[in-house]
Amino acid sequence: MNFAKLFLATTAFLSATALAGTAPVDPSKITQAQSKAVCINPSPSHVNLSKLVVGFSQSESNANPFRAGETKSVRDAAASFHVKHLIYTNAHSDEARQVADVESMINQGAQALVIAPLDATGLQPAFAQAAAKHIPIITLDRHTAGTICTDYISFMGSNFYFKQGEIDAKELAKATGGHAKIAEIQGAYGNSVEVARTEGFAAGLKAYPGMKIVTEQTGNWFTTDAEKVMSQILLAHPDVNAVYAQADTMAFGVMTALRDAGKKPGQVKIVSIDGTKQGVQDIVSGWIYADDETNPRFGPLAFYELQNWFDGKPVHQHMVLTDHLYTRANAAAALKNKIPF
């Protein structure tokens, strides 16, 4: 099955699953990995989601395409599973606000929670309040400190280490013939995703002795920050010929800085992560060489697993969604089929 057909088949499966509500799901069709370890509700109520209030805590602004896709997926799935009421909050990159948001949703009667954590730590007070009321939590996208099966029942995300960091190293080596002076534009320091993408990329470069990172700077996941640091990098390291951007939002800032410096598409090879529609379009236009998708479509699987929890069925502790790698070979077809988010 080719790239487009695989995605369309997966999308059709997700839609059918969501519309069926509690219909059986084969997670292998929408994930690339599942943990053998599971969590099981010791006191299942067998209540249907249509009778429950569920809270969704988003960590960052929906101006970020990934967050917008994630929010839409959760909202659409809540409707498809006929959730009685979905409470939505957005912390807008404020850790204290996210804790307050979760506590507020609990006080509003949320009986289950889906949380996209902002950072690797900081949610413990909210977890404790939820645990005291036996409220199950599913976390998305970013790992967070906590005790599995007590603080939260499942984590769903991408393979940030191997699928993203190492693959991007391999793609950048292809783009440069294995000889490059690389600027690495990292996400917010200490964030679990930033750490994984940094370590994965470094591990991937070990196979290519001609690939050297000459500078590492944080773009904080923001376009304007990445543009600023890339402009500074070009002054200090004018011979940089490759960029590893840990998110599309930062790759866009990198491209602006390159344009301002008089660079042409493809003159500096860029690999990025997220697989947004704009990022894939930039592959077609020649600015980005390759872009790893970070699949934001968590909604159907998250609500299916919540129903499993209330029914006393096993819930995988860790699930990795299927992502795609966009390149010049498939970018145009992906856009034509409206695949990127």
Side-chain angles (χ1 to χ4, degrees), residues 99-292:
V99 172
D101 285 346
V102 175
E103 293 177 341
S104 174
M105 289 189 292
I106 292 172
N107 291 333
Q108 291 178 64
Q111 296 153 288
L113 293 166
V114 178
I115 300 177
L118 178 62
D119 290 314
T121 59
L123 283 173
Q124 284 69 28
F127 284 161
Q129 186 170 335
K133 295 189 177 183
H134 306 289
I135 298 172
I137 294 174
I138 285 181
T139 59
L140 309 178
D141 179 48
R142 292 177 181 171
H143 286 284
T144 184
T147 303
I148 190 67
C149 298
T150 299
D151 291 321
Y152 58 94
I153 61 173
S154 183
F155 165 75
M156 299 175 182
S158 291
N159 192 334
F160 300 117
Y161 190 88
F162 294 104
K163 177 62 177 177
Q164 298 185 325
E166 290 198 348
I167 291 297
D168 267 15
K170 181 178 179 180
E171 291 299 315
L172 201 55
K174 288 181 185 178
T176 60
H179 296 279
K181 294 183 178 180
I182 306 166
E184 180 172 350
I185 311 300
Q186 302 169 335
Y189 287 146
N191 178 279
S192 61
V193 175
E194 178 273 319
V195 171
R197 289 176 177 172
T198 298
E199 292 180 351
F201 187 68
L205 288 183
K206 291 179 180 178
Y208 308 101
M211 308 281 289
K212 304 295 183 183
I213 298 174
V214 298
T215 184
E216 299 170 330
Q217 300 290 334
T218 179
N220 290 308
W221 307 120
F222 293 120
T223 299
T224 53
D225 288 20
E227 179 185 348
K228 180 179 179 180
V229 298
M230 190 63 206
S231 295
Q232 295 169 346
I233 288 170
L234 289 171
L235 292 174
H237 303 278
D239 56 348
V240 161
N241 67 335
V243 175
Y244 167 47
Q246 292 187 358
D248 281 4
T249 50
M250 298 188 296
F252 303 151
V254 167
M255 287 185 286
T256 298
L258 291 173
R259 290 190 191 97
D260 290 346
K263 302 293 185 180
K264 304 298 183 183
Q267 190 173 347
V268 175
K269 305 300 183 184
I270 301 172
V271 293
S272 186
I273 297 175
D274 276 339
T276 63
K277 182 165 62 175
Q278 183 58 55
V280 179
Q281 181 61 59
D282 289 325
I283 294 175
V284 175
S285 66
W287 279 103
I288 293 178
Y289 181 81
D291 198 349
D292 283 342

